[in-house]
Amino acid sequence: MQNDAHLRQPIAEQGVYPKPVGSRGVAMVDAEDIAGVVVAELRRRDAAEEPLPREVLEIPGPEALTGGVIAAAWTELPGRMPGWMTHDMRRMSGRFQEDGMTAAFRPAPLAGRGPGRGGAGCRAWVLQEREGVVSCRAGPCAGWRRRRCSAPRALGVAGGACGSAGPPRPMGEVAMPRRWRGAAREMEPDMKFYYSPGACSLGIHVILEEIGKPYEGVVVSLKEQAQMKPEFLAVNPKHKVPTLQREDGSVVTEWPAIALWLAGSNPETALWPAELEAQVRVLELVDYVCGTVHPQAFSRIFGPARFAPSEADHPKVLETGKANAEKYFATLEKGWKGGDWALPSGYSVADAALFFVEYWWVKRLGHQLPPKLAAHLERMLARPAVKRALEAEGLAA
C-alpha cells in the first residue's frame, strides 16, 4: 500500500491509514497460489478444442489487511516506498477501477490445496526457462529472468536483493506451453538504471522519476569501486555512472546523452523543448555543468588524489576546487535568464543537471549558493520526483 510522506502524520499520530481500505480490508494472496491457478488455467485452455471465453478469476487470501493493520505496519517504516511500487500501485488501482473484481472460484479446485498466507516471506517472482520448462519460484536469484524485485539489485552484494533467505516453501517446476513464454518475458522492467547514491547520476534519477515509466535501479557503489568489477564493465567499459540499459538491451552512457534520449523519447513530459534556440540553451547549460562545473570543481573536491599524487598537495587541490565552484556558480547566477527554472523555456533536463551540483554544494559540503541558485535548489527539493529520487538513494532532502 502507499506510504507517501503526506500519510506520515495521520499514521504516526492518529494510528489511521487515510486511504479507502476500511474495516473489511484487502486480502493478500501468496504468489504460489497465483502461480498454481495460472498454470492450471493455462493447461485447461491449452487442452481445449476451441478458444475459451475470457474469464476473470478471483484468488482470495486467508486473511485481510485492514486500515488499522496497515497503519501499524507503516508506522515502523515511514517514507520507504520505492519508486517502482508507485508505478505498480497506479497500474493496479487503475485496473480495479476499470474492470473491478468478479468472483469465480477459489484456487483449491485448481491448485489442489487451500490458499496460503500472503506475504509470508515471498517478496519477488522470477521466471527461469531451463530444458523446455518454465519454473516459477519466490525470491531473487542471479541470472534468472526477473519479473519484479522488491529492492534495487546491488552489484557485488551477495544474496538476494530483497534480503529474503528464500521462499516460505519451495515450489516445484511446472510445465508451461511454449506459446505462453513470450508473455512471461514481457514482465521484465523496461530499463535498467545504473547509479551510485549521491553521484552525478542523481540528476538522471530525477529525470527518470519525472518521466514515471518503470525501470530497475542497479546500485554501483563508487566508494566500493563496484564500477571496476566485471559485472559492470560488461555493461559499460567506461566504468562510469550514470549508465542506462534500454529495453532492447542497448546501452547509453554519458549524462547529456542519457538525458537527451530520455527526454526525447518521452516528449509528453516536455523535459526537452521543441524550439531549436531553447534546445541550444538546454544543451549549453547541461554541457557547462557536466563538462566544467563537475570535473573542474567537484572532482577536485571529492577526489584530490586524482589531481595530485602527493598527499601534501591535496589541500591546495581542494582550495582550487572550492574557488572554481564559487566562480562557476557566480557565472551561472549572473547569467540567469530563467524565472523559477534555469531557462525561460521552462523546466527541463537542464534543471536536473544544475540540481546535482547545487545539492553537492549545499547538502554535502555545507556552503551557500547565490540567491537565484539557492531559490532554484529549494524549488527542486520541493518537486515530488526529486523527493522520490533522494529517498531511493537514501539522501537527505
Side-chain angles (χ1 to χ4, degrees), residues 357-371:
V357 290
E358 291 174 334
Y359 184 89
W360 285 348
W361 189 243
V362 174
K363 297 296 184 178
R364 290 187 61 175
L365 300 174
H367 299 304
Q368 290 186 342
L369 287 165

Side-chain angles (χ1 to χ4, degrees), residues 82-83 152 195 197 205 209 215 219 387-395:
Y195 71 97
H205 210 156
E209 288 295 331
Y215 65 91
V219 176
K387 292 179 179 179
R388 291 193 297 270
L390 291 172
E391 183 181 356
E393 298 196 13
L395 303 174

Side-chain angles (χ1 to χ4, degrees), residues 80-113:
R80 298 291 181 87
M81 186 177 188
W84 63 260
M85 192 181 291
T86 62
H87 174 79
D88 282 358
M89 290 298 301
R90 184 165 60 249
R91 294 286 299 274
M92 182 180 73
S93 299
R95 291 302 301 272
F96 280 167
Q97 293 173 2
E98 293 174 8
D99 299 340
M101 292 190 296
T102 304
F105 42 80
R106 292 180 175 271
L110 287 173
R113 58 173 176 77

Side-chain angles (χ1 to χ4, degrees), residues 130-371:
R130 183 173 65 241
E131 296 177 356
V133 174
V134 173
S135 61
C136 176
R137 299 185 59 160
C141 176
W144 284 24
R145 191 174 295 278
R146 185 183 302 270
R147 174 183 185 267
R148 179 67 69 191
C149 181
S150 61
R153 178 167 53 89
L155 286 173
V157 178
C162 68
S164 173
R169 51 183 181 276
M171 180 175 180
E173 294 180 348
V174 290
M176 182 179 290
R178 185 171 295 275
R179 69 187 187 204
W180 294 96
R181 294 175 190 158
R185 294 189 180 97
E186 292 176 1
M187 297 177 184
E188 293 184 45
D190 290 346
M191 297 176 285
K192 283 186 180 179
F193 169 53
Y194 296 84
Y195 71 97
S196 184
C200 65
S201 49
L202 174 62
I204 298 297
H205 210 156
V206 169
I207 296 172
L208 282 165
E209 288 295 331
E210 294 282 7
I211 291 171
K213 290 187 176 179
Y215 65 91
E216 179 185 355
V218 182
V219 176
V220 184
S221 176
L222 299 183
K223 291 181 179 180
E224 299 175 6
Q225 293 293 300
Q227 77 276 17
M228 304 304 298
K229 294 185 178 181
E231 301 96 314
F232 183 65
L233 291 176
V235 178
N236 183 1
K238 299 176 183 178
H239 52 81
K240 294 171 62 177
V241 294
T243 296
L244 186 72
Q245 183 173 320
R246 296 182 288 192
E247 184 180 7
D248 62 0
S250 61
V251 174
V252 183
T253 65
E254 306 302 330
W255 207 105
I258 296 172
L260 173 58
W261 183 81
L262 286 172
S265 57
N266 296 276
E268 70 282 358
T269 64
L271 292 173
W272 189 262
E275 298 294 329
L276 177 59
E277 178 62 21
Q279 293 175 5
V280 169
R281 297 307 176 187
V282 167
L283 185 59
E284 182 181 45
L285 180 52
V286 168
D287 189 63
Y288 186 62
V289 169
C290 296
T292 300
V293 182
H294 180 179
Q296 297 301 326
F298 290 97
S299 291
R300 282 181 162 85
I301 295 172
F302 296 145
R306 287 179 287 177
F307 294 84
S310 174
E311 191 170 346
D313 294 328
H314 290 182
K316 187 175 179 66
V317 174
L318 291 171
E319 182 181 346
T320 301
K322 181 180 177 182
N324 284 349
E326 291 174 341
K327 178 177 64 176
Y328 300 148
F329 284 135
T331 299
L332 290 166
E333 178 81 2
K334 184 178 180 180
W336 188 269
K337 293 182 173 60
D340 288 345
W341 308 115
L343 297 169
S345 54
Y347 185 77
S348 69
V349 298
D351 292 283
L354 183 58
F355 166 70
F356 77 77
V357 290
E358 291 174 334
Y359 184 89
W360 285 348
W361 189 243
V362 174
K363 297 296 184 178
R364 290 187 61 175
L365 300 174
H367 299 304
Q368 290 186 342
L369 287 165

